[in-house]
Amino acid sequence: MEKKPRNYDEWRQWCETVQNQTTALPNETPAVKKARISRLLANYNDFVLYYFPHYVTNKDTGKITPCAKFHIDAANMVLKNKNMKGVFKWARGHAKSTHFDIFIPMWLKAMKQLRVMVLVGKSETNANTLLSDIQAELQFNQRYIADFGEQYNFGNWQDGEFVTKDDVAFFARGRGQSPRGLRYRSNRPDYIVIDDLDDDELCENEARVTKLSNWVKEALFGALDGGRGRFIMVGNLISKNSVLAKIAAIKAVQVSQVDAFDRNGVPAWKEKWSAEELKEMELMMGYRSFQKEMMNNPITEGAVFRNNWIRWKKILPLQKYDRIIAYCDPSFKGSTKNDYKAIKVWGQTGTELHNIDAFCRQCSVTEMVRWFYDLHEKFNGVICDYYIEANFLQDIILDEFTNEGNLRSYQLPIRADHRKKPDKYQRIEAISPLWERGFVFYNADKQNDPDMLAALEQTLSFEKGTRTHDDAPDADEGAIYILQKSKRLEIFKPVIGTRPRPTSEW
């Protein structure tokens, strides 16, 4: 959906666009018009497509983007519950502001379910700008005016605060501004929407977040008539320490979460975004930023592994390593396309551990197996031990290895890791001191390799309780455990014979 420009001159130009693109239908009989309005009010998607063609039509391609199912579900949820308290955690670019600041309140107003709306932004200027969106629609949208009457109220139509001809009032407030006593005539607010209140700077200060959360729960919520009315907060979860997170944690609050991809790897708003577009966006933004902005999954960088622990080094000729392990951590055969598959290749030389190569992709089992065989052939006779977790080496994954081997006329000597593993977080955290103490190095020739970078993103993003992918650090732990176990056995040399006696007297 197209976004309105922000400075005043562009806003006036936008108002002309609204006026020009919302020409009312000519020559309708009163009966036909009444039936059409009734049909539009009963169907939120049809309401949006008819009254807001300037938002739903791509100006370059002319393609119309309908509402997603989550837009329609959210609108119906708001409509059915006049006293709803809700948090809508939606990914960026998924029309949070457009629906909750414009479409839904205008839908409610058309059904006479809106008396006083308050729109809250990061600052007073920001809130005024957001409110100007709906102000432009009420003043210049010819279809809306033709169906629901003149809205513009001369003399009571200023920036950040206006009243329509039918006495519906609209107010803008910045975060922290006092909303106490806010009303129009005898009506207190019955629709309060808080739009993207959090920002990175605020979330870094827990005391400020707590203070602002209390303001939302006390002064702002108190602006309703004894809690009666719709109280809505929208934004994407950019931090676990955020006002959005604190309000969403309240039991009385209904929470809607929409990530760019659903759990099956399908775009949530597939009518607008293709999977390929979102993948390109992730490549551009990087794993952590994409998780934060598009997946409601903020990650604390350096919670276990720190960026300054990542060291790059020219690797040795492969035959110079004491031992090389390639460890595979694939997703289960029944898991989603959105899961990662990881193979990490580690070599040990003395006390140093070198990450020689990496495979870290959202892909099919076939692609993963093919890379494994390619690695074996690239090693050209250098001994490498290939491992995969025992519970993975079965069914379709084993079949894939066999099928690829038949094509190449040999079978990859991959073995199962039967270790009974303890808790994943504890295992991975336990190896982090190797990075901190400078024993771990990454292949300097792979500094721009997409697989190596994706694996590093997972390592740096790893923390307890997060929803981030952890296939790469899990494969690291598997390989390093085997390397260090064999090193311990090599160093330990048992002495056979009689037990030595102490040479000194007690």
Side-chain angles (χ1 to χ4, degrees):
M1 295 184 176
E2 300 296 320
K3 289 300 293 178
K4 178 185 79 60
R6 286 306 181 190
N7 68 49
Y8 182 74
D9 291 337
E10 290 180 330
W11 181 79
R12 292 296 304 179
Q13 187 177 355
W14 173 254
C15 291
E16 291 180 15
T17 299
V18 173
Q19 188 170 27
N20 294 334
Q21 294 190 19
T22 57
T23 306
L25 297 176
N27 305 321
E28 274 187 312
T29 65
V32 169
K33 180 178 179 179
K34 182 178 179 181
R36 176 181 55 76
I37 293 172
S38 179
R39 175 180 60 80
L40 294 175
L41 292 180
N43 186 300
Y44 180 72
N45 184 59
D46 289 349
F47 178 87
V48 169
L49 294 179
Y50 178 75
Y51 291 107
F52 307 102
H54 45 295
Y55 273 95
V56 301
T57 307
N58 186 298
K59 63 183 179 182
D60 297 321
T61 65
K63 181 182 176 182
I64 293 175
T65 303
C67 297
K69 182 178 182 299
F70 65 86
H71 293 137
I72 299 168
D73 289 345
N76 287 326
M77 186 191 309
V78 173
L79 175 65
K80 290 175 183 177
N81 189 348
K82 293 182 178 180
N83 297 317
M84 86 160 298
K85 314 298 178 278
V87 166
F88 294 82
K89 298 189 294 184
W90 292 2
R92 289 185 69 177
H94 283 62
K96 300 182 293 292
S97 300
T98 306
H99 283 271
F100 289 98
D101 299 358
I102 307 171
F103 297 170
I104 291 176
M106 289 185 69
W107 191 43
L108 295 175
K109 183 182 183 303
M111 292 183 281
K112 302 190 183 304
Q113 290 202 31
L114 184 70
R115 300 308 309 168
V116 179
M117 171 177 168
V118 180
L119 200 163
V120 182
K122 290 183 177 68
S123 65
E124 183 178 6
T125 300
N126 172 251
N128 290 347
T129 301
L130 291 170
L131 193 67
S132 69
D133 287 345
I134 193 170
Q135 192 173 26
E137 298 299 325
L138 291 167
Q139 187 173 353
F140 296 101
N141 190 313
Q142 298 306 299
R143 292 184 177 182
Y144 196 86
I145 293 167
D147 288 349
F148 306 111
E150 187 71 32
Q151 307 292 315
Y152 179 67
N153 189 2
F154 183 78
N156 200 351
W157 202 260
Q158 57 266 26
D159 188 31
E161 184 173 316
F162 63 94
V163 180
T164 60
K165 265 197 170 183
D166 56 348
D167 283 336
V168 176
F170 295 82
F171 299 94
R173 288 291 184 271
R175 66 186 185 195
Q177 277 189 289
S178 177
R180 297 182 186 278
L182 193 62
R183 67 174 71 233
Y184 177 69
R185 295 182 178 172
S186 63
N187 295 317
R188 294 179 69 108
D190 60 352
Y191 186 92
I192 297 178
V193 57
I194 310 160
D195 191 331
D196 271 332
L197 204 64
D198 295 303
D199 57 40
D200 293 329
E201 183 182 4
L202 171 73
C203 294
E204 290 174 358
N205 189 319
E206 189 168 353
R208 287 183 62 199
V209 169
T210 299
K211 182 179 179 180
L212 192 57
S213 300
N214 290 337
W215 174 80
V216 169
K217 293 185 290 184
E218 296 167 6
L220 194 56
F221 180 71
L224 297 174
D225 185 11
R228 295 172 183 165
R230 298 172 171 98
F231 192 78
I232 294 165
M233 189 171 190
V234 301
N236 58 307
L237 189 66
I238 63 172
S239 172
K240 294 173 184 176
N241 177 47
S242 61
V243 181
L244 189 79
K246 289 185 181 294
I247 301 304
I250 299 172
K251 289 184 178 180
V253 172
Q254 299 180 64
V255 179
S256 164
Q257 179 167 324
V258 175
D259 306 326
F261 287 111
D262 68 14
R263 62 180 300 171
N264 296 314
V266 178
W269 194 2
K270 56 182 179 295
E271 297 84 356
K272 180 177 181 179
W273 302 107
S274 69
E276 292 71 23
E277 285 178 310
L278 292 175
K279 291 293 184 187
E280 288 178 9
M281 191 183 302
E282 183 175 9
L283 287 173
M284 178 65 190
M285 296 173 68
Y287 181 73
R288 279 193 304 277
S289 296
F290 187 84
Q291 289 292 310
K292 169 186 169 184
E293 301 291 349
M294 304 301 293
M295 298 297 290
N296 290 293
N297 186 31
I299 299 163
T300 305
E301 182 178 357
V304 177
F305 297 87
R306 297 182 184 175
N307 195 57
N308 61 348
W309 295 352
I310 305 303
R311 300 169 178 87
W312 301 90
K313 190 173 188 177
K314 188 76 173 176
I315 65 168
L316 303 175
L318 296 178
Q319 63 272 18
K320 297 289 186 181
Y321 284 99
D322 301 336
R323 190 179 183 188
I324 299 175
I325 300 288
Y327 196 99
C328 179
D329 182 13
S331 49
F332 285 100
K333 70 172 186 177
S335 61
T336 70
K337 295 178 181 177
N338 209 30
D339 284 337
Y340 277 80
K341 295 171 178 60
I343 304 169
K344 298 301 294 291
V345 185
W346 286 89
Q348 184 164 35
T349 173
T351 59
E352 292 184 7
L353 296 163
H354 294 181
N355 189 188
I356 298 167
D357 210 341
F359 176 91
C360 187
R361 302 176 193 173
Q362 293 170 305
C363 65
S364 65
V365 174
T366 302
E367 183 177 347
M368 178 197 76
V369 171
R370 190 181 304 124
W371 190 92
F372 229 146
Y373 271 86
D374 289 344
L375 174 75
H376 178 71
E377 293 177 4
K378 186 169 62 176
F379 275 11
N380 193 28
V382 174
I383 300 300
C384 175
D385 292 320
Y386 304 104
Y387 280 88
I388 188 170
E389 287 193 36
N391 57 332
F392 288 116
L393 194 58
Q394 56 188 344
D395 300 335
I396 194 169
I397 293 182
L398 183 58
D399 291 341
E400 291 285 352
F401 276 102
T402 303
N403 292 339
E404 186 67 25
N406 290 339
L407 289 173
R408 303 195 189 211
S409 301
Y410 70 92
Q411 294 297 321
L412 189 74
I414 190 165
R415 67 186 72 184
D417 178 11
H418 291 283
R419 175 170 56 127
K420 186 176 181 180
K421 295 184 176 181
D423 174 74
K424 180 185 290 188
Y425 176 80
Q426 293 177 356
R427 286 189 289 109
I428 297 174
E429 185 185 38
I431 63 171
S432 64
L434 297 171
W435 274 253
E436 183 180 11
R437 294 171 61 194
F439 294 123
V440 172
F441 296 90
Y442 290 83
N443 187 344
D445 293 334
K446 297 282 184 176
Q447 290 191 60
N448 296 313
D449 179 72
D451 289 285
M452 185 68 81
L453 294 177
L456 268 176
E457 284 277 8
Q458 289 191 11
T459 301
L460 292 172
S461 303
F462 182 77
E463 60 178 311
K464 191 171 187 177
T466 187
R467 293 187 293 112
T468 58
H469 296 285
D470 53 19
D471 308 272
D474 201 15
D476 290 334
E477 190 277 334
I480 290 172
Y481 175 85
I482 294 169
L483 285 172
Q484 294 204 315
K485 181 182 178 182
S486 62
K487 194 68 175 177
R488 287 193 298 270
L489 291 174
E490 179 185 315
I491 293 171
F492 175 69
K493 296 180 179 179
V495 177
I496 300 174
T498 59
R499 182 177 180 181
R501 296 180 179 276
T503 54
S504 60
E505 295 185 5
W506 295 96

